Amino acid sequence: MKKKIGVYVCHCGGNISDYVDVEKVREEIEKDEGVFLAKTTMFACADSNQKDMVTDIAEKQLDGAVVASCSPKLHLLTFSAVAERAGLNKYNYIHANIREQASWAHSDDKVGATEKAIQIVKAAVAKVKRSNALEPIRVEATNAVAVVGAGVAGLRSAIELAESGSQVYLIEREFFVGGRVAQWDDLFVSNETGKELITRLYDKAMNHKNITLFTGAEIVENSGSVGNISLKVKVSPRHMKLNCDEGNLEKAIEVCPVEVPDKFNFNITTRKAIYHNFPGEYPQLPVIDMEHCTRCGECEKVCKNVDFSQQEEFLNIKVGSVLLATGYDPYEPKNDEFGYKTIDNVVTLPQFKRLVHYCDDKLVYKGKEVKNIAYIYCVGSRQVDGENKYCSRYCCTATIHAAITAKKKYKEIYNFHFNRGIRTYGKQEVLYDESSRMGDIYLQSFEDHPPVVSKVGDKTMVTIKDILTADKTLEVEADLVVLVTGMVPRQDNSIGSLLKVPKGRDNFFNEIHMKLRPVETVIDGVTIAGASQGPKNIMESMNSSLAAATKSFSLIAAGELALSPTIAKIDADNCEWCGKCDDACPFSALTKTDVNGKQVAVVNEAVCKGCGMCMPVCPSNAIELIGYTDDQIESMIDALVSTH
Amino acid sequence: MGAEKVNKNPKILVFSTEKISDPAIDMAGLLKLHYPPTVYTITVPCSSGIKPKWILRALEQGFDGVFIAADGTDCPYGESCVDKTGQLVGVTQEILKEKGMDPARLKMAAICSVCSEPFVKHVKSFTKYLMNSSN
């Protein structure tokens, strides 16, 4: 038990001392056996006081320290660091909160607040007396990262990690890489196409010896913890032999009798059951979609590389960290939302972009040439009634860019933008300027009066009460209505549930702190990048993917991890393995082990998170949580009820 | 302590949790939502890691009531916290009954990280209950 404890009672410049008699607290605590010195201070966190504490601890050889001040959320780390600077192990420092939980909570009762503050500090002293110096638990870390998703964000992260020296397993659920960006043509600002961008990244990734790409692959099991994560990956077969003849493959696609809606083109076209999304797509080998394949055998007749004998494979890989770059889905409008699926010339922005890709001289939709295009903004974003309250960020720019592209590509295109305020932030404003100069018409409404799409005879009309012309009701006859759909989380986000990554209110993966820890999640070792975290454009996805790669790398690069030592501890003498702790542990940190011929529970130090769920269920009270031992908690209870 | 004592200011021990209910209790202070100063807090990582023997110790040493400010479904260690906290409360209340003590001296409610007002409401009504009860 400690005998030389230093206690510092903070005035907090009046925040505490206006309601709590800090001098009385000091006097009372000074009487406590084991308290070597007790001081009051105007601001405990001030540099001068921190220096005094360091001097006290070092010169007087204090063996424990307590600061009674604000919430530990504000300054626990500050004073732990002071202790360390003075050569005192940080676990021999205990924080007492006499501001949020005494002076402020009881500013109506100065006597009561002072009494409570005395008891709180006594309890802290009781705890520090029973604290021990602890060292972080060091575990070996595997210098490998699983990057989930091979879109722009995943590819970019993989390259960065590989170049830093990590082994990378790039796991893509689809059979082709590139994600959403592979679906886009020209991109603002460079005019480089999405495909070109993906090709560059793909080439770079595939030329790096540290990167292994799996397509048609999904993580199905996960165990272990940061530094040592074991993953089971299911790899679905392409049903194609490697290194086959390109010519025959094209013939195989030609003879396939099955036609299904082509998801790559957002269902505006069809594809065969044996397919690639576009010629030259990576990996260049086509794939057989077994969900729709009828096994008619036509393709096998013309192409010897088709191989129906290929089976699902399961791979076990070991990584130190997982980086999620699983992207987004475009919002799917509800039936009849602005005429979607009920009026025949209403499409979404992604469909429109694919349409512009496929139409060469004339823009034709369902056999009719398109001249007047009405774009309805914020569909599925900034919803008043729906769940998606957020702005999807990319759509204003993407729409204006698509409108300009269409106008340049085809003759006599008239663009009408039914918006709720244009958000072409930063450099993207140039596009808005260009579109305005090209004669695009902007009409605007508030969220409570959205435009109305209706069918009048064989015409499709879009009507708006335009606030830019003093609420005049304006009408446009549209050959095509484009719903500017925003970004939503992936429909199948099961990887998030598997890894227990929390979601935010918008249902995208959630970071620990939006500003201060933007790519880490509460699951140690799991980082997030790109649009899996929320709507982002390509530039923003690149920023976050580089940040996530760096964060994943920094966790594991040293080959060793320092983990918190405040975990469960088993008293092997008292433990008679019954398995109740194992059942209670959500992390499978306890295992039955033979110790000197006796079956007892053993804690996996790298897996235990220190929650203590195993403790109340133990019938022989053989488990304690370091930092919250029976001795510590019970002495605190005693101190809180003691009379002085 | 004991049955004869008239509790003018019943003492309540709150077990709160580092990441969820502690911030709510801190914020109650920040907002100056007053509650009796005879309410004390001990912080633990998770409400499902509270040992029944700690609760018994508190009640036997002189606390009139114990309030568990549970993590609820927000628990960073997983949603099983809800059931497990409920179970330990149940077990402890059974022990209290066996000992002839009022099981209502142990109370639990989920207090989310911004649930300052519900916290204050709970400890005030618990204080009132303990004041009026003979135990």
Side-chain angles (χ1 to χ4, degrees):
Chain A
M1 202 112 79
K2 294 188 174 56
K3 292 196 179 93
K4 291 187 82 173
I5 298 162
V7 181
Y8 300 82
V9 186
C10 183
H11 282 252
C12 195
N15 279 304
I16 295 170
S17 54
D18 284 353
Y19 313 103
V20 166
D21 183 344
V22 291
E23 186 52 38
K24 191 170 176 210
V25 176
R26 195 200 65 77
E27 278 168 18
E28 285 299 328
I29 211 68
E30 201 174 32
K31 294 178 197 162
D32 196 299
E33 201 185 338
V35 173
F36 184 79
L37 66 85
K39 292 180 173 177
T40 60
T41 166
M42 189 48 76
F43 286 104
C45 57
D47 209 32
S48 56
N49 184 65
Q50 290 193 30
K51 279 182 187 150
D52 285 349
M53 280 179 70
V54 171
T55 312
D56 282 351
I57 296 168
E59 284 183 359
K60 300 189 170 92
Q61 295 284 302
L62 300 182
D63 56 6
V66 170
V67 173
S69 59
C70 53
S71 164
K73 269 98 206 147
L74 291 161
H75 280 309
L76 171 65
L77 292 179
T78 310
F79 298 118
S80 294
V82 168
E84 298 235 294
R85 287 207 297 279
L88 182 67
N89 183 281
K90 68 175 178 185
Y91 294 95
N92 284 325
Y93 169 75
I94 300 292
H95 199 89
N97 178 359
I98 59 165
R99 191 178 76 177
E100 281 82 351
Q101 295 197 10
S103 69
W104 282 352
H106 314 297
S107 55
D108 57 337
D109 180 355
K110 290 185 186 179
V111 177
T114 303
E115 282 301 300
K116 181 174 175 181
I118 292 168
Q119 308 293 76
I120 289 173
V121 184
K122 277 186 171 181
V125 169
K127 185 172 184 186
V128 83
K129 277 184 193 170
R130 293 158 179 85
S131 295
N132 293 312
L134 300 171
E135 292 304 326
I137 295 160
R138 299 197 179 275
V139 293
E140 227 175 273
T142 312
N143 192 0
V145 180
V147 175
V148 185
V152 267
L155 283 164
R156 190 65 191 87
S157 316
I159 294 165
E160 192 66 17
L161 283 160
E163 286 179 346
S164 308
S166 292
Q167 200 63 42
V168 181
Y169 301 101
L170 184 53
I171 300 166
E172 171 57 52
R173 186 164 62 186
E174 300 293 326
F175 286 94
F176 302 98
V177 302
R180 296 291 174 203
V181 172
Q183 293 171 292
W184 312 140
D185 289 335
D186 287 357
L187 302 167
F188 182 68
V189 130
S190 61
N191 288 338
E192 207 171 3
T193 65
K195 293 180 188 84
E196 285 163 355
L197 214 59
I198 293 300
T199 304
R200 273 168 58 176
L201 290 170
Y202 179 81
D203 286 345
K204 208 166 177 187
M206 287 305 98
N207 283 327
H208 206 293
K209 63 175 175 28
N210 286 5
I211 301 178
T212 314
L213 169 70
F214 300 100
T215 53
E218 258 183 288
I219 297 175
V220 289
E221 272 175 38
N222 148 61
S223 64
S225 60
V226 56
N228 292 289
I229 303 170
S230 300
L231 302 172
K232 191 177 196 178
V233 183
K234 183 177 93 177
V235 185
S236 302
R238 298 180 93 79
H239 296 295
M240 283 291 155
K241 286 178 201 152
L242 284 172
N243 309 319
C244 52
D245 187 333
E246 183 73 23
N248 280 344
L249 279 170
E250 290 308 317
K251 215 177 266 171
I253 296 173
E254 217 176 282
V255 297
C256 176
V258 181
E259 287 215 17
V260 293
D262 188 353
K263 275 200 287 181
F264 187 81
N265 291 329
F266 303 99
N267 304 336
I268 59 165
T269 59
T270 57
R271 66 156 166 80
K272 300 296 183 69
I274 170 170
Y275 73 100
H276 44 60
N277 289 320
F278 55 88
E281 186 177 27
Y282 293 104
Q284 283 180 318
L285 211 53
V287 65
I288 297 178
D289 167 7
M290 291 309 287
E291 199 190 320
H292 297 105
C293 173
T294 56
R295 301 292 297 268
C296 68
E298 289 299 319
C299 56
E300 272 179 301
K301 284 182 204 158
V302 296
C303 179
K304 61 180 187 306
N305 298 303
V306 171
D307 179 1
F308 282 105
S309 71
Q310 288 179 2
Q311 297 290 321
E312 239 169 36
E313 277 180 77
F314 289 90
L315 302 169
N316 292 306
I317 58 173
K318 202 166 181 196
V319 296
S321 172
V322 178
L323 188 155
L324 295 179
T326 52
Y328 73 97
D329 278 334
Y331 172 76
E332 177 71 12
K334 293 189 189 69
N335 248 6
D336 206 28
E337 186 171 357
F338 297 107
Y340 187 65
K341 284 189 174 163
T342 51
I343 296 175
D344 58 1
N345 52 348
V346 177
V347 297
T348 64
L349 177 64
Q351 287 174 329
F352 177 66
K353 284 164 77 91
R354 296 311 296 161
L355 188 68
V356 171
H357 170 84
Y358 279 103
C359 295
D360 284 334
D361 307 327
K362 285 179 185 171
L363 183 61
V364 178
Y365 184 67
K366 292 193 174 166
K368 285 184 197 154
E369 193 178 348
V370 174
K371 300 278 183 201
N372 279 0
I373 310 171
Y375 305 89
I376 298 181
Y377 284 61
C378 299
V379 179
S381 304
R382 302 169 70 199
Q383 289 177 327
V384 180
D385 299 321
E387 297 244 306
N388 306 344
K389 301 292 177 204
Y390 54 85
C391 162
S392 288
R393 299 174 63 84
Y394 94 110
C395 9
C396 282
T397 306
T399 309
I400 295 171
H401 183 258
I404 293 172
T405 307
K407 195 155 187 154
K408 284 180 178 168
K409 192 169 177 181
Y410 314 109
K411 280 182 203 138
E412 284 184 75
I413 291 286
Y414 302 98
N415 293 318
F416 299 89
H417 300 264
F418 293 82
N419 68 86
R420 278 171 52 192
I422 294 295
R423 297 180 173 184
T424 45
Y425 54 94
K427 284 181 189 166
Q428 302 164 142
E429 185 71 2
V430 175
L431 279 175
Y432 177 51
D433 187 49
E434 188 183 352
S435 119
S436 301
R437 274 190 286 108
M438 285 172 83
D440 280 13
I441 306 288
Y442 286 82
L443 308 110
Q444 194 170 325
S445 63
F446 290 120
E447 63 274 18
D448 46 355
H449 283 101
V452 176
V453 183
S454 55
K455 198 89 193 167
V456 181
D458 60 347
K459 290 174 182 166
T460 302
M461 307 301 293
V462 184
T463 317
I464 191 172
K465 255 176 98 177
D466 178 36
I467 57 172
L468 303 178
T469 46
D471 276 347
K472 237 183 210 154
T473 300
L474 300 174
E475 217 174 30
V476 172
E477 184 189 332
D479 303 314
L480 190 67
V481 177
V482 177
L483 304 184
V484 178
T485 47
M487 291 184 181
V488 294
R490 286 273 183 194
Q491 203 185 354
D492 177 2
N493 242 344
S494 50
I495 181 69
S497 322
L498 185 75
L499 296 171
K500 301 193 174 87
V501 174
K503 292 174 190 165
R505 259 175 228 170
D506 54 10
N507 276 323
F508 286 96
F509 294 149
N510 210 7
E511 64 288 317
I512 292 180
H513 189 288
M514 203 184 275
K515 298 182 181 71
L516 301 177
R517 297 176 74 181
V519 295
E520 294 160 87
T521 68
V522 292
I523 306 301
D524 290 339
V526 178
T527 56
I528 47 177
S532 68
Q533 185 185 14
K536 286 188 178 66
N537 66 25
I538 298 171
M539 272 186 286
E540 292 155 353
S541 283
M542 290 298 96
N543 288 338
S544 81
S545 61
L546 290 174
T550 309
K551 202 67 222 179
S552 278
F553 180 73
S554 68
L555 280 172
I556 55 168
E560 195 187 66
L561 276 164
L563 303 176
S564 166
T566 52
I567 56 166
K569 193 177 77 178
I570 308 282
D571 175 0
D573 291 339
N574 273 333
C575 173
E576 306 286 343
W577 173 267
C578 64
K580 285 187 178 154
C581 53
D582 183 30
D583 293 342
C585 179
F587 309 103
S588 310
L590 293 141
T591 40
K592 183 170 155 181
T593 310
D594 190 301
V595 175
N596 302 327
K598 190 183 170 199
Q599 299 295 317
V600 295
V602 168
V603 178
N604 180 342
E605 296 185 332
V607 180
C608 178
K609 298 222 185 291
C611 61
M613 288 193 196
C614 52
M615 298 196 298
V617 298
C618 177
S620 53
N621 193 35
I623 314 177
E624 293 216 89
L625 201 56
I626 297 168
Y628 304 88
T629 61
D630 286 352
D631 191 25
Q632 285 175 318
I633 298 285
E634 289 172 359
S635 70
M636 288 177 83
I637 292 170
D638 296 353
L640 289 175
V641 282
S642 69
T643 43
H644 47 86
Chain B
M1 58 183 161
E4 322 77 66
K5 196 178 133 195
V6 179
N7 295 316
K8 259 184 99 180
N9 291 303
K11 279 195 159 192
I12 296 173
L13 177 63
V14 178
F15 281 108
S16 70
T17 68
E18 222 166 75
K19 293 190 177 70
I20 309 298
S21 53
D22 247 12
I25 300 172
D26 280 355
M27 197 164 72
L30 181 71
L31 300 171
K32 308 237 164 112
L33 302 174
H34 298 135
Y35 55 92
T38 41
V39 174
Y40 298 87
T41 302
I42 289 181
T43 303
V44 291
C46 169
S47 53
S48 57
I50 298 165
K51 290 188 182 180
K53 71 183 289 239
W54 299 344
I55 299 166
L56 296 171
R57 171 80 166 218
L59 295 176
E60 281 161 4
Q61 288 298 307
F63 275 104
D64 300 284
V66 171
F67 179 80
I68 294 180
D71 283 322
T73 49
D74 293 347
C75 179
Y77 304 105
E79 290 199 4
S80 70
C81 174
V82 177
D83 289 342
K84 287 171 188 159
T85 309
Q87 273 159 24
L88 79 88
V89 168
V91 167
T92 314
Q93 284 179 330
E94 280 307 311
I95 302 173
L96 292 178
K97 273 186 219 164
E98 280 168 28
K99 287 182 181 263
M101 294 159 84
D102 177 10
R105 287 175 65 189
L106 170 60
K107 198 170 150 49
M108 176 200 68
I111 301 292
C112 76
S113 61
V114 292
C115 293
S116 306
E117 281 184 36
F119 168 76
V120 170
K121 233 184 225 172
H122 278 297
V123 292
K124 276 186 175 171
S125 70
F126 195 26
T127 298
K128 209 180 257 175
Y129 171 81
L130 294 169
M131 230 190 268
N132 295 332
S133 79
S134 52
N135 286 331

